[in-house]
Amino acid sequence: MLDATTGGKKARDDKEEATKAMPSLPIFFSACVSSSKSAAARKQRHLRWFNNALTSTSETEEDGVIAAACSEKLVGEEFSSLSSKENSGTKRMMYCDYNGCPPVSSRLIQNCTREHTESMVLGNPHSKNASASIAEKAIHESRSLVLKHFNAPEFGEYHCVFVNGGATNAVQLVGDAFFSVGKRDALSYAMDNHTSVVGLRNLVWSRGGDVFVLVENEEEEWTSVKVNDCGAKIKTKKKWFKGNKSNPRGRKHLLAYADESNFHGQGVREACVKRKMEEICREGSECFTLLDASKSAAMRPVMLKDMEKELRPDFIVASAYKIFGYPTGVGFLLVSNRAMEMIERNENMNRKYFGGGTAKAIDAKTNFFIAKENASGLERGTLPFQQIAALPKCFEWYQSIGGSEMIRINAGHVGEVLASRLWNLRHANGKPVVEIYGSQWRHLAEHLKNQSDYDDRYEKLTYDGRKIVSLSTVAFNVLNDDGTHVGYSKVERALASQNIVVRTGCCCNPGACESIRKKKIENRVKKLYETKGKVCGDDMGVDDTDGEPLGCVRASFGYASRVSDAKAIIETIEREFVCHARMTDRGANEAPETPSSPSSSSSSLVTISKINVFPIKSCAPFSVEKWYLLPSGLLFDRKYVLIEKQSGIPLSQKSYPQMVRITPSVETIDLEDVNGYAFTYLVLTCSGIKETLRIDLNEDGKEFDLSREGNVSVSIRGSTREARLVRDPAAHEWFSKVLNVECCLALLKDETKRTFANTSPILIASERSAKSLGCDISRFRANIIVSEKENEDVEKKKSKKKSSSNDNDLFLLEKTWISTSISNENVGIKIRDTVTLGNGRFCHRCESVAIDQTTGKRDEKTWEIIMRKAANTFGVSFDVLPNGQEEGFMSNTIAVGDEIHSVHSNYSAPLT
């Protein structure tokens, strides 16, 4: 990896020259470029930066003075939200998600606004008036600037198509125009690709084509794997399709790749692209290429003139906001003359959907339509001309800060500082604290240290046939001192507490995310979705079946990034996750204690200390000494839900924290009468509201009005529950008044089905775990709260161990309730002899734990603790398992004081 000795004496000799004063905006970036044009100067500067990244203590004097001073001045003058605010009492934001979207310059916005409001009035370019002509002229100028940005050859070799919606819609437009119905066209896409490119496969399948994914093997060569539309993969031989020999142009094949990965910044192997193009042509198909330049467009846009003509992409997609931060909703699609001729030859322009302004001639009564030629024929409807007209000012601002070269140098310098110092972090036992992804980091140090074949790392340096596109992206995961992964959500929350913004998860690149895992499981994503509800954007960072990461932490930098941003990340990770040597009271000959296991559960007595029933989802509970358990959960628990009247969306505490003040209780007739209804009314009160609401608990036993208005479908985390509105209109009025929003109360149609709970119907939490974290257990809204009483020997050992306690000691009891990948034995708990709970899984928490369950006030302390110390989990969710007894809930009762025991059995699936 990165070597602290790199640069050596020559870097130190150049320190005096590097500390010269910097010129001021708006020309300071261009001055920096002109002052370092010689290859030797660039080499010395980069070596000095790389060396100082490991050893410097002063950002302005040693950490790459040129880039640091430029970015500091830029932030101070144009990005006030990222600059320090004296006496403001708020932390400065450290923005490290440039791959997602760069921040917007205040000067750029002012220039664009002034241009639009003072200099011109833009009309619809499809009109034929003066204002429309101004808009058309602005669009034409913007097209030329985009083509120049990618250094396209002159004389119309490429066409610039503007797309409403960004690069994603540009990719879709390519698919619509490229793939013909019934011609067996093919798509091959590199596994390391954005989801938007992978999404082309559905369109190909719908038109009868073939799809291949290109997977890198151990030799870093592409292996073609055919994917069918049922999700199965079929490995192919060398000749993985047959061309139409009599008509070689009858079948088209699109090869899609990105020159720089949005996940970890790794460059594509150009030799792989060339070989795959040759292979496709040898098989008798006409090969076209699609380059996703969304990531590279800001710092190293592809230079089309400098490429071999046969290797120039036929389609290039990018987004304006990825370069300038503004405007959103404008996508670029560059189309080569060759590709445009193919589209017109196959008459795909006339077959695709068309919008207003794209028609050259059209008859509404017959199937007659002729599209406009070239770019205008591919564009759909009225372009976002107001935003497109801002592009000249965007490019002007972009060049004023030095253009791609200075942005690449600054961002790369900050990225090197972060990567090198993260790499050098070690736990007390010498094991690394992070693992960094992307082979550019693995190879960069070797080239810099040897100084062989080196002029400018971005211009000529290659490794294994890959160019270093930029060094602005650092994707990593944090490791515990035993080598296991820390979930990315836990790291993200720790960074967020310091006002550091990063991206976590798969970063919309499932292929690259899969490549970081050492252990391969077939259909991992599908299995996790079906068994654990794993979805994109959630907080599940580690697969507990094999400990592999399910995403990463990605820090990406750009024009306004500073070394202090990288240092803040390093300091936070070092403070929160580096394991230092622990002091213990254990004797030299005393064996280390082993974590609790199912066999040692007898060392403590676990009993129920509290039972909570939440009749209305997200409202307060009522507590009972004894209660009844149905196959769907506790009686009445989450039987009701409040939904917004207009949208039908369930209300939650995240949006309406005052729901915690709605307090329920139940009225009963005779608890001993098992043949009738023991419960009559649910009584609801709210602090500050005089009126009391009474809801008939037996309403579901009466005949419902089956009209459309009385039946609703309620979506809970993507799962639909069928419900009915409560018949009493006074109930809806009462809740609307209390919450100050038009809402309705709905109840389950069939209470034997799944309730309105987010996951499993029973949530159990431990008093000991809440106390060890310093959290109020009511924040976790558990149905059953348990307490632990240790025997005397265990108490003595734990009292000695208090000084050396750590996060790994959390949830020792809860872990005995959950099955692991080590043993296939099913694990659950038993209460009395009649109640068995199984399929236990840790409950992933959301931001509702930040809400005080008494006052409804919000504070972030509890959520920060859960994210940082408990990997965003607390409590265990269970399903109710069948007990083999006669139907009727009276046989299933639980009470405060009941003992809970872990069980190991081959139990069946839950009834819900």
Side-chain angles (χ1 to χ4, degrees), residues 131-408:
S131 294
S133 297
I134 295 174
E136 187 63 39
K137 183 179 178 181
I139 292 173
H140 179 75
E141 181 184 0
S142 297
R143 290 191 204 275
S144 298
L145 289 171
V146 172
L147 291 170
K148 287 180 181 178
H149 183 70
F150 292 97
N151 199 20
E154 293 86 355
F155 308 114
E157 188 171 323
Y158 277 84
H159 306 267
C160 176
V161 179
F162 285 121
V163 181
N164 194 342
T168 295
N169 284 23
V171 172
Q172 183 185 9
L173 180 57
V174 171
D176 286 340
F178 184 89
F179 296 104
S180 303
V181 177
K183 290 193 175 182
R184 291 293 305 278
D185 291 334
L187 166 69
S188 288
Y189 61 87
M191 188 171 173
D192 186 349
N193 250 316
H194 194 278
T195 304
S196 299
V197 175
V198 179
L200 274 174
R201 65 190 188 187
N202 283 16
L203 191 150
V204 178
W205 285 325
S206 69
R207 299 185 181 183
D210 297 323
V211 175
F212 304 87
V213 59
L214 305 175
V215 183
E216 278 196 4
N217 56 28
E218 293 181 357
E219 291 76 30
E220 296 188 339
E221 296 290 338
W222 278 345
T223 300
S224 295
V225 178
K226 186 175 181 180
V227 185
N228 63 36
D229 56 1
C230 296
K233 296 187 294 184
I234 306 171
K235 288 190 176 181
T236 59
K237 299 179 180 179
K238 186 176 181 181
K239 292 186 177 182
W240 29 273
F241 62 80
K242 294 181 179 180
N244 188 340
K245 301 297 183 181
S246 61
N247 181 14
R249 286 192 171 183
R251 175 180 167 110
K252 306 183 297 297
H253 197 126
L254 183 65
L255 172 60
Y257 65 96
D259 54 352
E260 182 181 8
S261 172
N262 71 301
F263 184 85
H264 45 42
Q266 181 172 287
V268 68
R269 285 174 59 89
E270 295 179 344
C272 286
V273 176
K274 186 174 182 178
R275 279 194 291 271
K276 184 54 60 180
M277 292 173 64
E278 293 170 349
E279 184 179 346
I280 290 172
C281 293
R282 283 198 305 270
E283 297 296 337
S285 290
E286 192 176 10
C287 181
F288 294 84
T289 51
L290 165 63
L291 170 65
D292 181 3
S294 302
K295 168 64 179 73
S296 62
M299 299 182 201
R300 190 185 174 90
V302 58
M303 296 287 102
L304 292 170
K305 279 185 183 179
D306 299 337
M307 298 182 69
E308 298 177 37
K309 191 169 184 178
E310 61 272 15
L311 294 180
R312 291 174 184 170
D314 295 290
F315 304 96
I316 303 173
V317 298
S319 295
Y321 80 94
K322 295 280 189 178
I323 304 173
F324 320 110
Y326 172 88
T328 55
V330 177
F332 308 146
L333 170 59
L334 273 63
V335 185
S336 69
N337 268 338
R338 172 175 174 266
M340 191 68 76
E341 290 169 3
M342 176 272 298
I343 293 171
E344 293 176 347
R345 181 177 71 234
N346 293 325
E347 297 184 349
N348 281 354
M349 277 199 185
N350 293 335
R351 290 195 181 100
K352 73 178 183 64
Y353 170 83
F354 56 85
T358 60
K360 189 174 184 179
I362 183 173
D363 186 346
K365 294 187 296 182
T366 65
N367 185 23
F368 177 75
F369 167 74
I370 302 297
K372 289 182 178 179
E373 296 84 4
N374 300 327
S376 298
L378 287 174
E379 290 165 347
R380 295 176 173 177
T382 302
L383 292 172
F385 57 90
Q386 298 279 7
Q387 288 76 21
I388 293 173
L391 291 180
K393 287 296 179 183
C394 291
F395 279 107
E396 179 183 312
W397 172 84
Y398 180 78
Q399 294 302 325
S400 77
I401 64 170
S404 62
E405 181 178 356
M406 277 309 300
I407 297 172
R408 183 171 68 245

Side-chain angles (χ1 to χ4, degrees), residues 830 833-836 881-887 891-892 908 911:
K830 203 171 189 70
D833 293 327
T834 58
V835 177
T836 305
L881 303 181
N883 60 9
Q885 299 188 17
E886 296 180 0
E887 294 184 1
S891 62
N892 276 1
S908 58
L911 297 179

